[in-house]
């Protein structure tokens, strides 16, 4: 059976060939959103009754988490923008995990995004974040003799599709300040791999090597409501 993409006339595809890949991606997103209105993968059923959300999960699927991402995939429970969680009630989630997602929002919008995630968390719930560490990127830039190419992908994003652009930067001071201003009571660092809910094959472990020295490029903070 032909897919909707396959039955689009070849002449149309040739005419808009320069934008064809982007068109296919956008079409898949719309079809994925429509499909999720009728069919969803099984939701986690945790014995402790807790609710864990993985925002911007990409290809990562963890049986403990409800997966939310802008791109459709078989393990994604909700195909939607992760700054709009209106499908979740206030005070309904125990943990929200978002790895290298926050920097994809315009810096002026970040407080609003954090406020939405704060709303969904229960009292005592945790927002666990990873973002590129601007201070470390500056260190890498200086140590690599001001080689901008050494940090551009981490600073600006891959820029290969519309969701993959970085629009904000953070260091420990700025992100902690934003989290406290949002209403979180406590902010601290967390270590990837320290326990099951911090063990993902993702950018939380991002690093690079300059002149035989390793630089950890991810700022990993968790905030308690």
């Amino acid at each position: 059976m032909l897919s909707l993409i396959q039955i689009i006339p070849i002449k149309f595809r040739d005419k808009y060939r320069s934008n064809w890949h982007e068109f296919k991606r956008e079409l898949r997103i719309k079809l994925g959103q429509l499909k999720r209105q009728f069919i969803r993968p099984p939701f986690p059923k945790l014995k402790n009754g807790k609710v864990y959300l993985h925002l911007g999960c990409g290809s990562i699927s963890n049986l403990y988490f409800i997966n939310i991402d802008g791109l459709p995939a078989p393990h994604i429970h909700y195909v939607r923008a992760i700054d709009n969680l209106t499908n979740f009630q206030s005070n309904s989630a125990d943990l929200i995990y978002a790895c290298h997602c926050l920097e994809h929002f315009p810096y002026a919008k970040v407080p609003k995004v954090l406020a939405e995630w704060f709303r969904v968390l229960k009292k005592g719930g945790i927002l666990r974040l990873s973002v590129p560490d601007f201070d470390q990127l500056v260190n890498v830039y200086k140590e690599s003799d001001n080689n901008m190419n050494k940090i551009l992908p981490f600073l600006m994003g891959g820029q290969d599709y519309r969701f993959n652009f970085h629009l904000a930067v953070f260091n420990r001071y700025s992100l902690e300040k934003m989290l406290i201003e949002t209403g979180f009571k406590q902010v601290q660092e967390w270590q990837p791999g320290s326990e099951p809910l911090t063990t993902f094959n993702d950018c939380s472990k991002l690093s690079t090597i300059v002149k035989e020295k390793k630089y950890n490029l991810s700022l990993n903070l968790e905030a308690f409501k």
Side-chain angles (χ1 to χ4, degrees):
M1 184 176 180
L2 294 176
S3 69
L4 179 59
I5 290 175
Q6 289 174 312
I7 65 176
I8 294 175
I10 294 177
K11 288 184 178 181
F12 178 88
R13 283 184 271 172
D14 289 341
K15 182 178 180 180
Y16 297 99
R17 185 170 297 278
S18 61
N19 296 319
W20 178 241
H21 291 296
E22 185 63 27
F23 175 79
K24 286 196 298 182
R25 191 191 303 273
E26 292 299 318
L27 184 57
R28 287 196 177 100
I29 291 173
K30 297 300 182 184
L31 292 175
Q33 290 173 334
L34 179 62
K35 181 179 179 180
R36 281 297 174 267
Q37 300 303 313
F38 305 97
I39 303 173
R40 296 189 194 279
F43 285 96
K45 294 182 179 180
L46 305 182
K47 292 181 179 179
N48 57 16
K50 293 191 175 183
V51 175
Y52 305 143
L53 307 183
H54 191 168
L55 307 184
C57 60
S59 62
I60 295 174
S61 179
N62 185 298
L63 295 178
Y64 293 110
F65 285 82
I66 296 173
N67 300 313
I68 306 165
D69 198 274
L71 296 178
H75 64 286
I76 306 296
H77 296 93
Y78 294 100
V79 181
R80 62 183 297 125
I82 61 173
D83 60 327
N84 181 356
L85 301 181
T86 51
N87 51 322
F88 293 95
Q89 296 181 354
S90 299
N91 307 302
S92 62
D94 296 273
L95 170 66
I96 292 177
Y97 180 69
C99 178
H100 285 238
C101 296
L102 193 60
E103 67 272 15
H104 292 265
F105 295 100
Y107 72 90
K109 188 179 179 181
V110 168
K112 185 177 180 180
V113 176
L114 291 176
E116 172 67 349
W117 297 350
F118 182 87
R119 176 191 68 80
V120 173
L121 282 170
K122 297 177 182 178
K123 184 176 181 180
I126 301 172
L127 174 60
R128 186 167 289 147
L129 298 173
S130 294
V131 295
D133 189 330
F134 183 73
D135 287 344
Q136 283 289 71
L137 291 177
V138 171
N139 291 336
V140 168
Y141 172 71
K142 292 179 178 178
E143 190 64 24
S144 61
D145 304 317
N146 296 354
N147 182 357
M148 185 66 72
N149 291 329
K150 192 69 178 178
I151 66 168
L152 270 181
F154 312 115
L155 183 64
M156 306 303 294
Q159 302 195 2
D160 52 345
Y161 64 99
R162 67 182 175 96
F163 293 132
N164 199 15
F165 287 76
H166 292 182
L167 303 172
V169 294
F170 308 94
N171 63 9
R172 170 68 187 264
Y173 173 80
S174 68
L175 183 54
E176 183 170 353
K177 184 173 184 290
M178 287 183 181
L179 290 167
I180 294 298
E181 289 176 347
T182 300
F184 289 97
K185 295 180 179 179
Q186 179 185 346
V187 180
Q188 63 187 32
E189 292 188 26
W190 64 274
Q191 294 298 322
S194 58
E195 47 106 346
L197 297 181
T198 64
T199 304
F200 298 91
N201 185 23
D202 61 14
C203 289
S204 63
K205 297 180 286 187
L206 190 67
S207 66
T208 191
I209 295 176
V210 179
K211 297 179 181 178
E212 300 183 354
K213 181 179 179 181
K214 181 180 178 180
Y215 291 85
N216 294 318
L217 300 181
S218 186
L219 173 63
N220 303 320
L221 296 181
E222 58 184 8
F224 296 79
K225 182 173 177 178

mmCIF file of all heavy atoms in Angstrom, residues 45-74:
data_model
loop_
_atom_site.group_PDB
_atom_site.id
_atom_site.type_symbol
_atom_site.label_atom_id
_atom_site.label_comp_id
_atom_site.label_asym_id
_atom_site.label_seq_id
_atom_site.Cartn_x
_atom_site.Cartn_y
_atom_site.Cartn_z
ATOM 1 N N LYS A 45 3.052 1.706 33.628
ATOM 2 C CA LYS A 45 2.233 1.405 34.796
ATOM 3 C C LYS A 45 3.180 1.081 35.945
ATOM 4 O O LYS A 45 3.579 -0.068 36.143
ATOM 5 C CB LYS A 45 1.286 0.236 34.511
ATOM 6 C CG LYS A 45 0.233 0.560 33.455
ATOM 7 C CD LYS A 45 -0.713 -0.616 33.229
ATOM 8 C CE LYS A 45 -1.767 -0.272 32.194
ATOM 9 N NZ LYS A 45 -2.704 -1.421 31.956
ATOM 10 N N LEU A 46 3.572 2.120 36.663
ATOM 11 C CA LEU A 46 4.547 1.956 37.732
ATOM 12 C C LEU A 46 3.857 1.518 39.019
ATOM 13 O O LEU A 46 2.780 2.018 39.372
ATOM 14 C CB LEU A 46 5.303 3.267 37.946
ATOM 15 C CG LEU A 46 5.981 3.853 36.687
ATOM 16 C CD1 LEU A 46 6.745 5.114 37.037
ATOM 17 C CD2 LEU A 46 6.893 2.839 36.032
ATOM 18 N N LYS A 47 4.482 0.603 39.734
ATOM 19 C CA LYS A 47 3.903 0.081 40.970
ATOM 20 C C LYS A 47 3.724 1.167 42.025
ATOM 21 O O LYS A 47 2.819 1.108 42.846
ATOM 22 C CB LYS A 47 4.780 -1.045 41.513
ATOM 23 C CG LYS A 47 4.774 -2.292 40.637
ATOM 24 C CD LYS A 47 5.637 -3.393 41.245
ATOM 25 C CE LYS A 47 5.614 -4.642 40.381
ATOM 26 N NZ LYS A 47 6.459 -5.734 40.937
ATOM 27 N N ASN A 48 4.609 2.172 41.985
ATOM 28 C CA ASN A 48 4.501 3.261 42.966
ATOM 29 C C ASN A 48 3.496 4.327 42.548
ATOM 30 O O ASN A 48 3.280 5.305 43.272
ATOM 31 C CB ASN A 48 5.875 3.899 43.215
ATOM 32 C CG ASN A 48 6.525 4.424 41.937
ATOM 33 O OD1 ASN A 48 5.864 4.583 40.913
ATOM 34 N ND2 ASN A 48 7.818 4.687 41.993
ATOM 35 N N GLY A 49 2.880 4.171 41.359
ATOM 36 C CA GLY A 49 1.867 5.108 40.897
ATOM 37 C C GLY A 49 2.405 6.450 40.442
ATOM 38 O O GLY A 49 1.627 7.364 40.136
ATOM 39 N N LYS A 50 3.713 6.582 40.358
ATOM 40 C CA LYS A 50 4.299 7.868 39.994
ATOM 41 C C LYS A 50 4.247 8.097 38.485
ATOM 42 O O LYS A 50 4.129 7.160 37.696
ATOM 43 C CB LYS A 50 5.727 7.958 40.510
ATOM 44 C CG LYS A 50 5.801 8.010 42.026
ATOM 45 C CD LYS A 50 7.191 8.363 42.521
ATOM 46 C CE LYS A 50 7.184 8.528 44.040
ATOM 47 N NZ LYS A 50 8.508 8.936 44.565
ATOM 48 N N VAL A 51 4.326 9.382 38.117
ATOM 49 C CA VAL A 51 4.255 9.787 36.716
ATOM 50 C C VAL A 51 5.552 10.508 36.349
ATOM 51 O O VAL A 51 5.902 11.519 36.951
ATOM 52 C CB VAL A 51 3.051 10.716 36.467
ATOM 53 C CG1 VAL A 51 3.057 11.226 35.029
ATOM 54 C CG2 VAL A 51 1.747 9.990 36.774
ATOM 55 N N TYR A 52 6.257 9.956 35.363
ATOM 56 C CA TYR A 52 7.509 10.540 34.891
ATOM 57 C C TYR A 52 7.339 10.952 33.431
ATOM 58 O O TYR A 52 6.896 10.144 32.608
ATOM 59 C CB TYR A 52 8.655 9.539 35.002
ATOM 60 C CG TYR A 52 8.878 8.951 36.377
ATOM 61 C CD1 TYR A 52 9.258 7.618 36.525
ATOM 62 C CD2 TYR A 52 8.720 9.727 37.526
ATOM 63 C CE1 TYR A 52 9.476 7.070 37.777
ATOM 64 C CE2 TYR A 52 8.932 9.186 38.784
ATOM 65 C CZ TYR A 52 9.306 7.861 38.912
ATOM 66 O OH TYR A 52 9.522 7.325 40.153
ATOM 67 N N LEU A 53 7.701 12.180 33.104
ATOM 68 C CA LEU A 53 7.601 12.694 31.739
ATOM 69 C C LEU A 53 8.992 12.899 31.155
ATOM 70 O O LEU A 53 9.855 13.499 31.801
ATOM 71 C CB LEU A 53 6.848 14.033 31.713
ATOM 72 C CG LEU A 53 5.476 14.093 32.377
ATOM 73 C CD1 LEU A 53 4.866 15.476 32.177
ATOM 74 C CD2 LEU A 53 4.555 13.010 31.843
ATOM 75 N N HIS A 54 9.187 12.417 29.940
ATOM 76 C CA HIS A 54 10.439 12.637 29.218
ATOM 77 C C HIS A 54 10.149 13.567 28.052
ATOM 78 O O HIS A 54 9.542 13.164 27.057
ATOM 79 C CB HIS A 54 11.009 11.310 28.719
ATOM 80 C CG HIS A 54 12.405 11.411 28.206
ATOM 81 N ND1 HIS A 54 13.183 10.308 27.929
ATOM 82 C CD2 HIS A 54 13.184 12.492 27.918
ATOM 83 C CE1 HIS A 54 14.369 10.695 27.491
ATOM 84 N NE2 HIS A 54 14.385 12.016 27.463
ATOM 85 N N LEU A 55 10.564 14.820 28.197
ATOM 86 C CA LEU A 55 10.299 15.832 27.169
ATOM 87 C C LEU A 55 11.429 15.855 26.151
ATOM 88 O O LEU A 55 12.596 15.847 26.506
ATOM 89 C CB LEU A 55 10.164 17.212 27.816
ATOM 90 C CG LEU A 55 9.171 17.347 28.974
ATOM 91 C CD1 LEU A 55 9.091 18.801 29.418
ATOM 92 C CD2 LEU A 55 7.805 16.816 28.590
ATOM 93 N N GLY A 56 11.049 15.920 24.871
ATOM 94 C CA GLY A 56 12.072 15.940 23.825
ATOM 95 C C GLY A 56 12.909 14.686 23.841
ATOM 96 O O GLY A 56 14.129 14.736 23.681
ATOM 97 N N CYS A 57 12.264 13.541 23.988
ATOM 98 C CA CYS A 57 12.980 12.279 24.192
ATOM 99 C C CYS A 57 13.698 11.788 22.937
ATOM 100 O O CYS A 57 14.623 10.979 23.029
ATOM 101 C CB CYS A 57 12.022 11.209 24.682
ATOM 102 S SG CYS A 57 10.666 10.867 23.537
ATOM 103 N N GLY A 58 13.275 12.262 21.751
ATOM 104 C CA GLY A 58 13.906 11.804 20.521
ATOM 105 C C GLY A 58 13.769 10.303 20.341
ATOM 106 O O GLY A 58 12.689 9.743 20.481
ATOM 107 N N SER A 59 14.878 9.627 20.081
ATOM 108 C CA SER A 59 14.856 8.186 19.828
ATOM 109 C C SER A 59 14.907 7.362 21.104
ATOM 110 O O SER A 59 14.823 6.130 21.051
ATOM 111 C CB SER A 59 16.046 7.802 18.933
ATOM 112 O OG SER A 59 17.278 8.100 19.588
ATOM 113 N N ILE A 60 15.039 8.017 22.262
ATOM 114 C CA ILE A 60 15.197 7.294 23.521
ATOM 115 C C ILE A 60 13.844 6.863 24.065
ATOM 116 O O ILE A 60 12.914 7.663 24.167
ATOM 117 C CB ILE A 60 15.932 8.166 24.558
ATOM 118 C CG1 ILE A 60 17.355 8.436 24.084
ATOM 119 C CG2 ILE A 60 15.940 7.497 25.929
ATOM 120 C CD1 ILE A 60 18.122 9.394 24.954
ATOM 121 N N SER A 61 13.748 5.593 24.416
ATOM 122 C CA SER A 61 12.531 5.060 25.006
ATOM 123 C C SER A 61 12.886 4.367 26.315
ATOM 124 O O SER A 61 13.697 3.443 26.340
ATOM 125 C CB SER A 61 11.864 4.061 24.049
ATOM 126 O OG SER A 61 10.690 3.526 24.618
ATOM 127 N N ASN A 62 12.307 4.848 27.405
ATOM 128 C CA ASN A 62 12.520 4.277 28.725
ATOM 129 C C ASN A 62 11.164 3.863 29.278
ATOM 130 O O ASN A 62 10.214 4.653 29.275
ATOM 131 C CB ASN A 62 13.202 5.307 29.638
ATOM 132 C CG ASN A 62 13.552 4.740 30.994
ATOM 133 O OD1 ASN A 62 12.683 4.334 31.757
ATOM 134 N ND2 ASN A 62 14.840 4.735 31.310
ATOM 135 N N LEU A 63 11.057 2.638 29.744
ATOM 136 C CA LEU A 63 9.770 2.080 30.151
ATOM 137 C C LEU A 63 9.141 2.818 31.323
ATOM 138 O O LEU A 63 7.947 2.688 31.574
ATOM 139 C CB LEU A 63 9.936 0.597 30.504
ATOM 140 C CG LEU A 63 10.331 -0.319 29.341
ATOM 141 C CD1 LEU A 63 10.518 -1.745 29.831
ATOM 142 C CD2 LEU A 63 9.301 -0.261 28.227
ATOM 143 N N TYR A 64 9.942 3.607 32.056
ATOM 144 C CA TYR A 64 9.409 4.340 33.200
ATOM 145 C C TYR A 64 8.689 5.622 32.785
ATOM 146 O O TYR A 64 7.922 6.191 33.569
ATOM 147 C CB TYR A 64 10.531 4.716 34.169
ATOM 148 C CG TYR A 64 11.179 3.543 34.874
ATOM 149 C CD1 TYR A 64 12.476 3.172 34.576
ATOM 150 C CD2 TYR A 64 10.484 2.821 35.848
ATOM 151 C CE1 TYR A 64 13.081 2.108 35.222
ATOM 152 C CE2 TYR A 64 11.085 1.756 36.501
ATOM 153 C CZ TYR A 64 12.380 1.402 36.183
ATOM 154 O OH TYR A 64 12.973 0.342 36.825
ATOM 155 N N PHE A 65 8.953 6.113 31.573
ATOM 156 C CA PHE A 65 8.560 7.468 31.199
ATOM 157 C C PHE A 65 7.459 7.521 30.153
ATOM 158 O O PHE A 65 7.389 6.683 29.247
ATOM 159 C CB PHE A 65 9.779 8.231 30.660
ATOM 160 C CG PHE A 65 10.746 8.664 31.713
ATOM 161 C CD1 PHE A 65 11.704 7.789 32.209
ATOM 162 C CD2 PHE A 65 10.713 9.962 32.223
ATOM 163 C CE1 PHE A 65 12.602 8.187 33.183
ATOM 164 C CE2 PHE A 65 11.601 10.365 33.186
ATOM 165 C CZ PHE A 65 12.551 9.482 33.676
ATOM 166 N N ILE A 66 6.635 8.568 30.260
ATOM 167 C CA ILE A 66 5.736 8.983 29.188
ATOM 168 C C ILE A 66 6.560 9.861 28.253
ATOM 169 O O ILE A 66 7.157 10.850 28.680
ATOM 170 C CB ILE A 66 4.527 9.766 29.735
ATOM 171 C CG1 ILE A 66 3.680 8.865 30.637
ATOM 172 C CG2 ILE A 66 3.682 10.329 28.590
ATOM 173 C CD1 ILE A 66 2.574 9.608 31.357
ATOM 174 N N ASN A 67 6.624 9.497 26.983
ATOM 175 C CA ASN A 67 7.493 10.171 26.025
ATOM 176 C C ASN A 67 6.735 11.242 25.242
ATOM 177 O O ASN A 67 5.680 10.967 24.675
ATOM 178 C CB ASN A 67 8.089 9.147 25.056
ATOM 179 C CG ASN A 67 8.912 8.101 25.774
ATOM 180 O OD1 ASN A 67 9.736 8.426 26.617
ATOM 181 N ND2 ASN A 67 8.686 6.834 25.445
ATOM 182 N N ILE A 68 7.320 12.438 25.201
ATOM 183 C CA ILE A 68 6.699 13.567 24.510
ATOM 184 C C ILE A 68 7.745 14.207 23.605
ATOM 185 O O ILE A 68 8.834 14.579 24.067
ATOM 186 C CB ILE A 68 6.177 14.606 25.515
ATOM 187 C CG1 ILE A 68 5.235 13.938 26.525
ATOM 188 C CG2 ILE A 68 5.455 15.751 24.802
ATOM 189 C CD1 ILE A 68 4.948 14.776 27.738
ATOM 190 N N ASP A 69 7.425 14.344 22.327
ATOM 191 C CA ASP A 69 8.394 14.898 21.384
ATOM 192 C C ASP A 69 7.652 15.514 20.205
ATOM 193 O O ASP A 69 6.518 15.131 19.900
ATOM 194 C CB ASP A 69 9.344 13.798 20.896
ATOM 195 C CG ASP A 69 10.617 14.357 20.284
ATOM 196 O OD1 ASP A 69 10.613 14.674 19.084
ATOM 197 O OD2 ASP A 69 11.611 14.482 21.016
ATOM 198 N N GLY A 70 8.320 16.448 19.527
ATOM 199 C CA GLY A 70 7.711 17.092 18.372
ATOM 200 C C GLY A 70 7.733 16.243 17.119
ATOM 201 O O GLY A 70 7.011 16.522 16.163
ATOM 202 N N LEU A 71 8.584 15.203 17.095
ATOM 203 C CA LEU A 71 8.672 14.312 15.944
ATOM 204 C C LEU A 71 8.048 12.961 16.282
ATOM 205 O O LEU A 71 8.290 12.423 17.370
ATOM 206 C CB LEU A 71 10.136 14.115 15.539
ATOM 207 C CG LEU A 71 10.880 15.355 15.049
ATOM 208 C CD1 LEU A 71 12.327 15.012 14.727
ATOM 209 C CD2 LEU A 71 10.200 15.963 13.832
ATOM 210 N N PRO A 72 7.264 12.383 15.383
ATOM 211 C CA PRO A 72 6.596 11.107 15.673
ATOM 212 C C PRO A 72 7.559 9.937 15.613
ATOM 213 O O PRO A 72 8.521 9.925 14.850
ATOM 214 C CB PRO A 72 5.548 11.011 14.560
ATOM 215 C CG PRO A 72 6.115 11.813 13.437
ATOM 216 C CD PRO A 72 6.885 12.932 14.069
ATOM 217 N N ALA A 73 7.297 8.947 16.448
ATOM 218 C CA ALA A 73 8.022 7.672 16.452
ATOM 219 C C ALA A 73 7.140 6.679 17.207
ATOM 220 O O ALA A 73 6.254 7.078 17.973
ATOM 221 C CB ALA A 73 9.390 7.817 17.109
ATOM 222 N N PRO A 74 7.359 5.377 17.031
ATOM 223 C CA PRO A 74 6.466 4.388 17.657
ATOM 224 C C PRO A 74 6.377 4.492 19.173
ATOM 225 O O PRO A 74 5.343 4.136 19.748
ATOM 226 C CB PRO A 74 7.098 3.055 17.238
ATOM 227 C CG PRO A 74 7.788 3.351 15.946
ATOM 228 C CD PRO A 74 8.319 4.745 16.111
#
